[in-house]
Amino acid sequence: MSPSFSTRTARRDAAVRAAVVRGLLDPVASPVAAFVDLTGIGESAQALRAAWPAGLDVLHAFAAKANPLVPVLAALRSHGLGCEVSSPGELAQARAAGFAPARIVLDSPVKTRAELASALAEGIAVNVDNLEELARVDDLVAELGTRMPEPRIGLRLNPQVGLGGIEAVSTAGRTTKFGIALADPGNRERLLTAYRARPWLRWVHVHVGSQGVPLELNAGGVGAAVSFAREVNRSRPGQVVGIDLGGGLAVLGDDDADGDHRDHGPSFADHVAVLRRAVPELLDGSFRLVTEYGRAVMARNGFVAARVEYTKTSGGRRIALTHAGAQLAARSAYAPEAWPLRVLAHDSEGRPSGAAPEVQDVAGPCCFSGDLLARERLLPRLSAGDLVVVPDTGAYYFSAPYHYNSLPMPPVYGFVPEAEGAVRFTILRDAETLDEVVVRSGGGHRDPGRGASPGNP
Ligand SMILES: *Cc1c(COP(=O)(O)O)cnc(C)c1O
């Protein structure tokens, strides 16, 4: 591969230019599309695996919610990762991507009995969220008996170590909805009793939260899980064999920056270094491990590109009206302070724009005023026909579209650089057609009086 493609930035710029040449960002037919850096996926998976000490038994189960596109999951599988799923849809996506049951971990606070039964029967790892769910698993374990493959069942603990910077994605506050609250009165004893009574309960699960959780807070939660596991093992040696430490490595700053490590956010190796200091027993080989990173694996490996359709000035404010907005970036539209996005200006040919910088807003196509990708941002002056590029959107953005205003989902292309300047594209998700939009809107049931009557005798 040419050295000019050695950075994500260089690959992204080449892909934007090539996508224009190839007609993938046609102003009329396809004014918005998303792109996945397939080379970057390999690099991220490699960095993740290399960060953990060789010789440890670690399953890196990618959190599917961060990017559940089946070809993305399949690429991650081919690079040696497993898959963490939290819904029937994500489990179906993981299966479609070819993950073996032994490489899948099922989390979710609201699993049905049927979901639990099939997961246990297949040998998928299950993390139990609460004591009522545990009672249900008791019944299923008794029913399945020896038909159950070697079970990998854990309880999700809430270590109650505190919230990160974004409450909505913090999961270890005192009253957070996830897991069993370790420090609530009586719970530690209750949990120890639960493990003592169930020799098949051999894992401990914790996930402290996502973006906004500092490494030290994360390590505090993982440490609480490990010390609980060791307490179980003191009375029943060897019972807890594994720790699932969740995900939550933040993606911060600017991967294009040349500056120090703060500009790029923490790496997987930084996380391991903090864990090694705070929780040495995690890495001493006495436990098997599962990790559940999502954002840190995929965020940098995707971007959105969209045409500017019009520009205007309103009350002195310059606004570029583009085809990318809340349908692809719901969190950033509704909570812009918590979820800021970078926006890059490219000209109509796809090259980085050389226009003079100007303060402007970058708006999306949805019919509410908050549908903005950037407010009062200093950017090269955007004109109709230009492109806006939104980097670092490979996790939790275009792969989790929002159906407001019934905007069709844009196509997603994977790309790989070939020779100097050339880029090969493959389709990862087709553009949604308007017929498909109608179908997902109940289009098959046009006559409400005459439709089928589910549940009626
Ligand atoms: C969301 C989630 C993850 C992944 O979080 P990231 O911030 O994307 O790494 C992992 N485990 C569980 C249980 C989750 O809910």
Side-chain angles (χ1 to χ4, degrees), residues 253-285:
D254 181 347
D255 204 34
D256 297 354
D258 297 322
D260 67 17
H261 118 130
R262 264 174 308 130
D263 294 332
H264 304 267
S267 65
F268 296 113
D270 294 333
H271 188 202
V272 174
V274 170
L275 289 168
R276 189 190 300 283
R277 242 179 295 135
V279 200
E281 308 81 17
L282 184 75
L283 301 171
D284 69 6

Side-chain angles (χ1 to χ4, degrees), residues 132-155:
E132 292 185 7
E133 187 185 340
L134 182 60
R136 208 177 250 186
V137 169
D138 283 340
D139 295 344
L140 290 168
V141 168
E143 270 169 40
L144 287 165
T146 52
R147 279 178 298 134
M148 196 166 50
E150 190 218 330
R152 292 175 296 146
I153 306 174
L155 289 188

Side-chain angles (χ1 to χ4, degrees), residues 43-250:
E43 291 173 359
S44 296
Q46 172 55 25
L48 166 56
R49 294 171 55 196
W52 290 75
L56 276 189
D57 179 346
V58 193
L59 171 64
H60 295 295
F62 172 71
K65 74 173 184 276
N67 192 321
L69 295 175
V70 171
V72 166
L73 297 180
L76 292 166
R77 179 178 56 74
S78 77
H79 292 296
L81 271 55
C83 194
E84 182 267 350
V85 299
S86 284
S87 75
E90 289 176 6
L91 179 52
Q93 288 158 332
R95 286 193 175 113
F99 287 99
R103 310 283 293 169
I104 300 177
V105 178
L106 174 65
D107 297 335
S108 152
V110 283
K111 309 173 198 77
T112 63
R113 192 176 197 285
E115 279 175 82
L116 286 167
S118 71
L120 292 173
E122 276 183 72
I124 290 169
V126 171
N127 287 315
V128 172
D129 176 81
N130 57 71
L131 294 172
E132 292 185 7
E133 187 185 340
L134 182 60
R136 208 177 250 186
V137 169
D138 283 340
D139 295 344
L140 290 168
V141 168
E143 270 169 40
L144 287 165
T146 52
R147 279 178 298 134
M148 196 166 50
E150 190 218 330
R152 292 175 296 146
I153 306 174
L155 289 188
R156 178 166 180 172
L157 305 183
N158 174 3
Q160 294 170 299
V161 288
L163 301 173
I166 307 174
E167 182 167 349
V169 294
S170 295
T171 50
R174 194 174 61 80
T175 60
T176 303
K177 79 168 180 176
F178 291 104
I180 301 170
L182 192 52
D184 276 14
N187 268 4
R188 199 175 184 93
E189 202 41 55
R190 219 166 270 137
L191 283 162
L192 289 168
T193 308
Y195 274 80
R196 268 183 224 120
R198 295 171 180 80
W200 44 264
L201 206 45
R202 307 197 68 183
W203 282 75
V204 173
H205 179 219
V206 68
H207 169 68
V208 181
S210 287
Q211 188 78 344
V213 173
L215 292 181
E216 291 70 21
L217 186 65
N218 171 290
V222 174
V226 169
S227 74
F228 175 79
R230 284 159 59 89
E231 196 172 339
V232 172
N233 286 353
R234 270 196 292 280
S235 59
R236 299 185 63 95
Q239 177 167 342
V240 175
V241 295
I243 306 287
D244 179 338
L245 57 138
L249 186 62

Side-chain angles (χ1 to χ4, degrees), residues 200-382:
W200 44 264
L201 206 45
R202 307 197 68 183
W203 282 75
V204 173
H205 179 219
V206 68
H207 169 68
V208 181
S210 287
Q211 188 78 344
V213 173
L215 292 181
E216 291 70 21
L217 186 65
N218 171 290
V222 174
V226 169
S227 74
F228 175 79
R230 284 159 59 89
E231 196 172 339
V232 172
N233 286 353
R234 270 196 292 280
S235 59
R236 299 185 63 95
Q239 177 167 342
V240 175
V241 295
I243 306 287
D244 179 338
L245 57 138
L249 186 62
V251 172
L252 304 170
D254 181 347
D255 204 34
D256 297 354
D258 297 322
D260 67 17
H261 118 130
R262 264 174 308 130
D263 294 332
H264 304 267
S267 65
F268 296 113
D270 294 333
H271 188 202
V272 174
V274 170
L275 289 168
R276 189 190 300 283
R277 242 179 295 135
V279 200
E281 308 81 17
L282 184 75
L283 301 171
D284 69 6
S286 42
F287 294 106
R288 291 162 63 188
L289 302 179
V290 168
T291 72
E292 301 175 347
Y293 297 103
R295 182 186 311 281
V297 175
M298 278 305 298
R300 302 274 196 218
N301 292 320
F303 69 87
V304 170
R307 293 281 176 183
V308 176
E309 191 73 39
Y310 305 105
T311 63
K312 63 163 79 167
T313 303
S314 196
R317 167 184 172 210
R318 181 158 174 93
I319 306 171
L321 300 166
T322 81
H323 289 278
Q327 89 275 27
L328 306 174
R331 282 178 172 172
S332 297
Y334 287 112
E337 270 77 43
W339 303 104
L341 283 171
R342 282 194 296 146
V343 175
L344 309 169
H346 285 236
D347 66 20
S348 60
E349 299 300 313
R351 298 188 178 89
S353 171
E358 189 171 326
V359 172
Q360 51 204 311
D361 285 10
V362 180
C366 294
C367 297
F368 67 101
S369 306
D371 182 27
L372 300 169
L373 295 184
R375 295 159 205 251
E376 297 182 0
R377 193 77 59 85
L378 186 66
L379 289 172
R381 182 187 171 94
L382 289 162

